[in-house]
Amino acid sequence: MKLVFFDTEFTGERADTTLVSIGLVTLSGESAYFTLNDYDQSQVSDWLKENVLSMIDSSKSVSSKEAAEGIRVWLEKQAGDDKISLVSFGKTNDIILLFNLWKNFKEDPSQFHFLYDLPPYLNHAEHIDFCTLLVTAGVSLSSFDKEKYAMLDKVGKKHNALYDAELLRSCFLRLVLESDILYQFRNRIGFALFDGIVFSEETNLNFTTSHVENGSQFSNAIENFLSNDLFSVKQISKQNQQSSIYIVEQKNKKYILRSFPLAESRIVEDQSELLNLLPEDVMIRPMYVADKNHYVFNTSDLSFIMYPYLDGEPFNGRPEKLTNIIDSAMNLFELLNSKQVNSKLVTLDYSIWNVDVLNLWKNKNFFLDKIVNEVSAPIGNYIKTYYDEIIQELENVIENRDKFFSNAFVHADLNHSNVVVDDEKVRFIDLEDLCFSNAGISVTHCVFKICRHSIFTKQMKLSEFKRKFEIGIRPILEKRKISQDTLLDFNLYGIARIYFDLFTITEYFFLRKDRRYMYDLNKKFSNLIEFKRMFN
């Protein structure tokens, strides 16, 4: 069952009315819009001129036959091997006008028959009238305001067919997600119901910079890496406050300076030394402290490391770069996994799950009350609708924790913001994510987060990604030893990582009364849906 929301504008409430425009939109937000140039001019009223035709660019209008062909191609693409259930606001002209477009494919249009001449994906009785759903749910139509019900931040152009179709979709999502009486209908649609909600949030994005005064602490740190010449410092804003990142400019050259708690200096020194085991063109190496044989400079309360500034840009989601990035990432994982590391690195152990946090999750009333209040309304509705399934899935993950042994040397957070692309050259950053952990979870997380970015930036549709994964990305994973093993339990590894992150967030919030990771809560629940839509 694939839903398509649509709306039309036409020349009047009459039996022989003619189509002026039509807008269609899917659950995931893909849309099509056509305006026609062969409607009956004799039926045009002053109201239609003022409220509809005045907003249409007639130079882009097409004939009914051209519109019919465009809509047929678009709907066939959306349908695939499934049926399309059309959703309209009301039971009258909209669906008849849409179906009547198929007259254009009959040699004798007067012989067109709804029962025999519609394509199979439309020729069924499962089209949906949204007004009937409202009445079923106990919502009064007499005072129903679409914009208010959809809780729009900004009202668009009324009587534009595409805007009205998108507005209908927003109203439908709220009604179906919130109405208990539509529970079975909600379950039938499944996770596709959330396609227009997920892939819309990213916390590692649009980093801004602000000028920082050259205080004594900065001067002392920077002068221990560079010369005594004048420099300027800008701080990069980021959500995670565990460390701070700065851009340092001196003599027309740029560097990256990172500060972090003094207690982490030994671990960061070890991580820096381990980068010497890798080729220099794979992952960026920190600079030595001047005239010293070490990388970390310590002050009284902070530690610092410095990198050369890399040419290139963080991965921006361009789909044509995906296979090269994934291949380069698998190369990095294999290089790391091949090294004999005798170091006191941090271990990120996915085989250990906090029982106290699990008990909080399994307390349904507590969990729904506390967590739902901390996330967006759509994600809150997802949690309420699928709570039992979420707990069942979580328990399955924990039952399989023996598969999550965490003794591999990995980069535990290869996401789009840790990938720098310069033409065909790919390099990776963030040495603080070098640790001992589970190879399968780290590889799966990398594939998910990097590929997700192409969908998030709307440069690739979900359906396009699924094809690309099968013909372009899966073959890369199948040829690499480290990812061959991962593919056997790919979905388990991916879901386990997301649940583990959610456990960490809720542990800090509920047990430690610390909100430091709560900025990521909504996105992590979205990730659960996204991962399943991408790989199931």
Side-chain angles (χ1 to χ4, degrees):
M1 180 189 213
K2 294 186 176 178
L3 301 181
V4 170
F5 306 85
F6 80 105
D7 185 77
T8 64
E9 299 298 334
F10 42 87
T11 53
E13 300 284 352
R14 47 195 296 166
D16 60 346
T17 190
T18 55
L19 186 63
V20 173
S21 62
I22 181 169
L24 308 99
V25 62
T26 66
L27 270 172
S28 61
E30 297 175 51
S31 63
Y33 179 57
F34 296 88
T35 59
L36 284 70
N37 57 22
D38 52 4
Y39 53 86
D40 190 338
Q41 298 281 347
S42 68
Q43 297 181 7
V44 174
S45 65
D46 291 341
W47 184 94
L48 189 70
K49 288 179 183 178
E50 180 180 349
N51 293 282
V52 178
L53 298 180
S54 64
M55 297 188 294
I56 290 176
D57 182 354
S58 60
S59 67
K60 297 179 180 179
S61 296
V62 297
S63 68
S64 296
K65 188 168 186 178
E66 289 172 307
E69 181 59 28
I71 290 169
R72 179 170 70 171
V73 170
W74 188 82
L75 286 174
E76 284 177 353
K77 181 181 177 183
Q78 303 305 325
D81 297 326
D82 206 348
K83 291 187 295 188
I84 283 179
S85 290
L86 297 168
V87 185
S88 60
F89 193 88
K91 301 181 286 290
T92 52
N93 288 321
D94 290 320
I95 199 161
I96 294 173
L97 287 168
L98 173 56
F99 284 172
N100 276 340
L101 286 172
W102 263 258
K103 289 181 178 179
N104 290 280
F105 307 122
K106 291 285 287 184
E107 186 173 344
D108 181 358
S110 68
Q111 298 300 307
F112 173 74
H113 197 295
F114 287 143
L115 186 59
Y116 304 117
D117 294 322
L118 289 173
Y121 57 83
L122 291 181
N123 196 353
H124 58 83
E126 296 189 15
H127 303 295
I128 300 165
D129 167 36
F130 183 65
C131 291
T132 302
L133 291 183
L134 288 171
V135 172
T136 302
V139 178
S140 171
L141 290 177
S142 61
S143 58
F144 186 73
D145 185 311
K146 296 178 188 176
E147 277 88 358
K148 286 184 179 179
Y149 190 79
M151 297 184 289
L152 297 183
D153 294 329
K154 184 178 180 181
V155 176
K157 297 178 180 178
K158 292 185 178 182
H159 308 299
N160 172 283
L162 181 57
Y163 168 74
D164 286 342
E166 291 170 340
L167 180 59
L168 172 60
R169 171 179 162 275
S170 297
C171 291
F172 176 91
L173 285 171
R174 180 181 174 190
L175 180 71
V176 174
L177 286 169
E178 292 184 0
S179 175
D180 290 338
I181 202 170
L182 298 175
Y183 176 80
Q184 292 297 333
F185 183 53
R186 184 163 60 232
N187 281 349
R188 184 181 176 194
I189 300 171
F191 286 127
L193 187 61
F194 299 93
D195 280 356
I197 297 168
V198 295
F199 300 110
S200 61
E201 185 175 0
E202 182 53 72
T203 50
N204 291 322
L205 196 69
N206 296 329
F207 298 114
T208 59
T209 60
S210 56
H211 180 74
V212 177
E213 293 298 325
N214 299 349
S216 59
Q217 191 175 53
F218 280 110
S219 299
N220 194 16
I222 293 170
E223 288 169 4
N224 272 275
F225 290 102
L226 304 174
S227 66
N228 292 330
D229 294 305
L230 292 175
F231 61 85
S232 64
V233 181
K234 293 179 180 178
Q235 183 170 6
I236 300 175
S237 66
K238 61 191 188 78
Q239 292 274 14
N240 191 326
Q241 301 298 312
Q242 298 302 104
S243 65
S244 298
I245 301 176
Y246 307 88
I247 298 176
V248 178
E249 293 191 46
Q250 187 185 70
K251 291 183 176 179
N252 297 320
K253 290 186 177 180
K254 291 183 179 181
Y255 306 87
I256 297 294
L257 181 72
R258 183 166 75 88
S259 68
F260 49 93
L262 194 63
E264 298 175 12
S265 62
R266 182 66 259 171
I267 292 173
V268 175
E269 185 70 40
D270 288 345
Q271 290 168 323
S272 301
E273 290 175 2
L274 287 170
L275 283 184
N276 286 316
L277 300 174
L278 302 178
E280 195 168 359
D281 62 348
V282 172
M283 194 166 175
I284 185 173
R285 295 178 179 177
M287 298 162 53
Y288 277 124
V289 176
D291 301 322
K292 305 290 183 182
N293 195 30
H294 59 85
Y295 300 94
V296 177
F297 175 75
N298 296 320
T299 65
S300 59
D301 59 345
L302 283 175
S303 295
F304 294 86
I305 55 171
M306 181 172 280
Y307 307 89
Y309 190 91
L310 275 184
D311 291 328
E313 297 291 336
F315 175 50
N316 62 5
R318 289 175 59 187
E320 64 269 23
K321 298 290 185 181
L322 279 177
T323 52
N324 186 27
I325 292 173
I326 296 298
D327 194 44
S328 300
M330 295 309 109
N331 179 56
L332 172 61
F333 280 119
E334 289 193 336
L335 284 170
L336 293 172
N337 199 50
S338 68
K339 304 303 178 184
Q340 297 297 318
V341 178
N342 297 311
S343 175
K344 294 181 180 179
L345 290 180
V346 169
T347 297
L348 186 55
D349 193 345
Y350 293 103
S351 66
I352 300 175
W353 295 72
N354 189 316
V355 175
D356 292 334
V357 178
L358 177 61
N359 289 333
L360 287 178
W361 278 57
K362 293 174 73 172
N363 183 337
K364 186 173 184 177
N365 291 334
F366 176 84
F367 189 78
L368 294 184
D369 178 49
K370 299 298 182 182
I371 289 295
V372 168
N373 287 332
E374 295 288 341
V375 296
S376 66
I379 295 301
N381 285 322
Y382 157 69
I383 295 169
K384 287 187 286 188
T385 300
Y386 291 99
Y387 173 80
D388 292 336
E389 289 88 341
I390 288 170
I391 295 302
Q392 184 178 2
E393 186 174 58
L394 173 60
E395 290 178 330
N396 178 63
V397 165
I398 295 175
E399 285 174 7
N400 283 278
R401 62 188 179 276
D402 289 347
K403 295 183 178 182
F404 307 150
F405 51 89
S406 301
N407 58 356
F409 180 34
V410 300
H411 189 302
D413 192 23
L414 276 186
N415 62 68
H416 73 277
S417 64
N418 291 335
V419 179
V420 178
V421 181
D422 185 14
D423 292 328
E424 295 303 310
K425 189 174 184 179
V426 177
R427 296 178 75 181
F428 303 99
I429 61 174
D430 266 15
L431 66 78
E432 60 264 38
D433 290 307
L434 293 176
C435 63
F436 292 118
S437 193
N438 180 268
I441 288 178
S442 301
V443 166
T444 305
H445 177 72
C446 163
V447 174
F448 167 57
K449 294 295 281 187
I450 290 173
C451 294
R452 175 196 181 272
H453 199 57
S454 292
I455 303 173
F456 164 76
T457 55
K458 302 190 184 309
Q459 298 182 68
M460 186 165 57
K461 297 173 183 175
L462 181 60
S463 57
E464 293 170 338
F465 163 73
K466 290 186 175 184
R467 290 193 294 271
K468 190 173 187 70
F469 182 78
E470 291 302 323
I471 65 176
I473 297 171
R474 181 182 284 277
I476 293 172
L477 302 179
E478 288 174 341
K479 77 178 182 181
R480 297 279 191 174
K481 180 65 173 70
I482 195 164
S483 46
Q484 284 175 3
D485 299 338
T486 297
L487 282 172
L488 297 174
D489 288 302
F490 189 88
N491 286 11
L492 175 65
Y493 288 138
I495 293 298
R497 169 60 191 258
I498 299 168
Y499 275 119
F500 196 87
D501 289 346
L502 283 166
F503 252 48
T504 300
I505 295 169
T506 51
E507 176 184 346
Y508 270 78
F509 180 52
F510 289 126
L511 302 185
R512 305 190 188 186
K513 310 303 180 185
D514 186 338
R515 295 186 63 91
R516 73 177 67 181
Y517 300 121
M518 287 296 283
Y519 69 88
D520 233 4
L521 182 69
N522 200 80
K523 187 181 81 171
K524 293 298 180 183
F525 275 111
S526 295
N527 286 166
L528 278 178
I529 305 170
E530 293 163 353
F531 187 91
K532 293 168 188 175
R533 295 296 287 149
M534 289 172 67
F535 300 107
N536 285 359

